[in-house]
Amino acid sequence: MTAKAALSGLKIGVIGAGNMGQALVRGLVEKSVYPQNISVFDIDRKKLDAVRKEAHVRIAKSNRQCVSLSDVIILAVKPQILREVVEDIASGTDKESLVISIAAGVSLAKIESFFKKPVCLIRVMPNMPALVGAGMSAFSLGKHATARHRKIAEAILSAFGEYVPVPEKMLDLVTAVSGSGPAYFFLLAEKMIEAAYELGMKVDIAKKLVYQTAFGSGRILADSQEDPEDLIERVASKGGTTEAALKIFKKQGFGKVVHDAVRAAHRRSKEMREGV
Ligand SMILES: NC(=O)c1ccc[n+]([C@@H]2O[C@H](COP(=O)([O-])OP(=O)(O)OC[C@H]3O[C@@H](n4cnc5c(N)ncnc54)[C@H](OP(=O)(O)O)[C@@H]3O)[C@@H](O)[C@H]2O)c1
């Protein structure tokens, strides 16, 4: 089944029209979901007006109405208010409804406990490039979700970018790698801009060089069959400039810094899930 076929005629409700909710609505409309099949609710009227203006979707009067208009409900609110939202909408869902949560760190079991009844649930960990349709999402199925629900979720996630199924216990690591990952690349970009500035380059020129280099390198990584190690070799010629830079990265422990950073993010994700 193609993404288009899976989404055809489906009524989708988005609760929370913030960064992620709006990105999803935008992506779904671009994927040819008929705007009037998408209902959105947010407590912030301004965000609803913005999303209606941009995407011409239906604006629900409440979370409950959003649910009553939809076959699939996407929970795109912050994790700390998920419980309140679910308790409000639970009575409007039935065993046919599919609920997709993108709230970071809230387990399938916890969300099910908020519903206080069996529910077809899918939990997703997206990342920030979803805002430009280039996101990386990992998802896990709840125990009542079927193969049909999975197809629907995949079609919806394709509006965000790429996706991969993982067992739920892997989602903490996903959070540490692709969830937090954009910030690691942004940090590298920031430091390269600072270094170029210190060496005499204007900031706007340095930004242009670094941003386009990041974009092009990202495209090669995404499209290429080669490992990063091989790609590095293609840039670094013997005795050249790249090799000089790579020697410093190695000598000063760049690899260990990255490993430690990912490990810290992983640990923190587990702590947050456990409520520490
Ligand atoms: N942003 C990311 O990079 C990212 C990455 C991975 C996962 N996520 C997950 O995605 C979810 C959404 O994140 P976001 O960045 O889009 O957050 P956001 O921009 O704050 O959007 C959430 C929206 O929900 C609204 N809201 C609050 N209470 C509500 C209620 N009772 N009913 C309906 N709407 C309500 C908020 O309004 P107010 O602002 O007025 O409260 C806000 O407009 C979060 O759970 C987050 O963990 C985000």
Side-chain angles (χ1 to χ4, degrees), residues 204-227:
D204 56 339
I205 305 275
K207 279 186 176 174
K208 190 160 174 102
L209 295 183
V210 170
Y211 294 172
Q212 184 61 17
T213 302
F215 179 71
S217 309
R219 262 188 74 178
I220 289 180
L221 279 169
D223 295 346
S224 165
Q225 303 300 321
E226 291 175 77
D227 288 333

Side-chain angles (χ1 to χ4, degrees), residues 155-213:
I156 289 174
L157 294 180
S158 70
F160 252 8
E162 297 288 325
Y163 55 83
V164 63
V166 295
E168 190 182 19
K169 63 176 189 298
M170 197 53 76
L171 283 179
D172 287 318
L173 193 47
V174 167
T175 306
V177 176
S178 55
S180 301
Y184 313 158
F185 287 100
F186 298 151
L187 176 66
L188 182 62
E190 182 188 71
K191 294 302 157 199
M192 286 172 68
I193 293 164
E194 281 173 16
Y197 175 72
E198 272 168 31
L199 290 164
M201 189 180 280
K202 283 188 173 160
V203 169
D204 56 339
I205 305 275
K207 279 186 176 174
K208 190 160 174 102
L209 295 183
V210 170
Y211 294 172
Q212 184 61 17
T213 302

Side-chain angles (χ1 to χ4, degrees), residues 15-21 41-44 47 63 76-79 81 84-85 102-104 125-128:
I15 293 186
N19 296 307
M20 288 299 191
F41 183 72
D42 193 294
I43 50 167
D44 184 340
K47 285 185 193 135
N63 284 332
V77 294
K78 291 282 187 208
I81 58 146
E84 169 196 324
V85 168
I102 65 166
M125 182 62 207
N127 73 0
M128 190 239 207

